[in-house]
């Protein structure tokens, strides 16, 4: 009787990096060989597997402690982060939603090429950020926050200017209840990125391998392995991992800038309300709406 060999079990972590080998005359790939996860792969997955609710707890503590420092132990002015014109604030924080959309779109596109993600999952992922996320951002920042600021203040330096943007554009200061758009946007963006990393990770770990002959695998948005060259697969794998790293780095950057905003800018009530609205927006979408069947949740 032939000896039975035990088939090794795959790691539950999603395989970010794969090497394909060829055994066909034309040099195309036919046999996928899964390498061990690198230290970077493991670190990325460890970070993405942190529960989002733990990030909420962290933000709660960070904003509270930062606000207390701002009110009672204000840090010395003149530091890099106290200057609102610093590079990170001007080119990243103020464009935070644009960066979040761009990096997420690239991430999900390359994830769909590298691993078995079906068309519906790709579309839902794009809808969650490009449509729902943008609608949430626009509603709160451009409509609600602006109207609250408008209704509760006046232009200091030129009382004849009765519109917030006109006052600021003319070089004056508008004194009103300024809900922290930075706290809201950075926290909401960080939570959204974290949730999306977890969704892709879960899809990869639960979906049949892309070289499977099953009916479900035939509907995947992946080019058949036999028609993909080694160079193409390596490039796609590299780009998918690159954007996974970038997603993680942007999340860490948003976390850092939330802490700096809490320490250097806004009074505590402005930061508290912006933070609570970010939490509520995340909870109502990812924890409530996206758990229902009539939603872009996965």
């Amino acid at each position: 009787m032939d000896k039975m060999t035990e088939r090794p079990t795959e790691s539950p972590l999603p395989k970010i990096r794969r090497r394909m080998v060829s055994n066909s005359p034309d040099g195309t790939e036919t046999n996928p060989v899964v390498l061990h996860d690198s230290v970077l792969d493991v670190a990325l997955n460890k970070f993405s597997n942190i529960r989002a609710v733990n990030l909420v707890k962290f933000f709660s503590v960070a904003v509270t402690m930062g606000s207390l420092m701002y009110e009672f132990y204000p840090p010395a002015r003149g530091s890099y982060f106290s200057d609102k014109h610093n590079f990170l604030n001007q080119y990243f924080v103020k464009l935070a939603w644009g960066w979040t959309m761009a990096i997420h779109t690239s991430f999900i596109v390359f994830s769909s090429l590298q691993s078995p993600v079906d068309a519906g999952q790709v579309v839902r992922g794009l809808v969650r950020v490009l449509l729902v996320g943008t609608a949430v951002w626009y509603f709160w920042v451009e409509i609600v926050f602006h109207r609250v600021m408008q209704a509760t203040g006046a232009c200091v330096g030129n009382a004849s200017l009765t519109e917030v943007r006109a006052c600021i554009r003319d070089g004056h200061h508008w004194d009103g209840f300024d809900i922290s758009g930075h706290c809201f946007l950075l926290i909401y963006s960080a939570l959204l990125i974290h949730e999306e990393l977890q969704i892709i990770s879960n899809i990869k770990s639960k979906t049949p391998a892309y070289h499977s002959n099953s009916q479900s695998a035939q509907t995947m948005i992946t080019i058949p392995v036999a028609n993909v060259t080694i160079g193409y697969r390596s490039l796609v794998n590299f780009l998918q991992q690159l954007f996974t790293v970038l997603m993680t780095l942007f999340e860490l950057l948003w976390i850092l800038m939330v802490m700096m905003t809490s320490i250097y800018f806004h009074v505590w009530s402005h930061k508290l309300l912006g933070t609570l609205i970010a939490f509520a927006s995340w909870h109502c979408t990812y924890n409530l709406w996206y758990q229902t069947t009539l939603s872009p949740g996965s």
Side-chain angles (χ1 to χ4, degrees), residues 54-160:
N54 290 331
L55 281 183
V56 170
K57 294 176 183 178
F58 172 82
F59 282 130
S60 300
V61 173
V63 172
T64 299
M65 297 302 294
S67 298
L68 289 174
M69 288 182 62
Y70 179 87
E71 297 292 338
F72 300 106
Y73 304 99
R77 294 293 169 176
S79 66
Y80 179 80
F81 288 105
S82 67
D83 180 9
K84 65 180 181 180
H85 299 294
N86 70 65
F87 180 82
L88 290 177
N89 193 57
Q90 288 294 309
Y91 296 100
F92 287 93
V93 174
K94 288 190 175 181
L95 303 173
W97 187 245
W99 281 111
T100 299
M101 286 193 299
I103 208 70
H104 171 267
T105 300
S106 302
F107 168 73
I108 199 168
V109 167
F110 286 112
S111 292
S112 70
L113 293 175
Q114 188 265 351
S115 59
V117 180
D118 67 40
Q121 290 164 339
V122 173
V123 172
R124 288 193 294 272
L126 296 176
V127 167
R128 285 193 299 270
V129 176
L130 298 182
L131 293 183
V132 178
T134 299
V136 170
W137 161 75
Y138 187 85
F139 173 75
W140 287 115
V141 175
E142 298 297 323
I143 298 178
V144 175
F145 293 1
H146 177 73
R147 291 187 178 181
V148 169
M149 184 79 160
Q150 178 77 39
T152 59
C155 187
V156 178
N158 188 345
S160 64

Side-chain angles (χ1 to χ4, degrees), residues 32 116 207-220 222 225:
T207 309
Y210 59 83
H211 56 280
S212 170
N213 292 323
S214 66
Q215 181 63 32
S216 60
Q218 295 175 12
T219 64
M220 302 299 175
T222 52
V225 174

Side-chain angles (χ1 to χ4, degrees), residues 195-209:
E195 291 281 9
E196 293 300 319
L197 284 170
Q198 287 188 330
I199 288 172
I200 291 295
S201 176
N202 291 336
I203 289 173
K204 289 181 181 179
S205 64
K206 295 177 181 178
T207 309

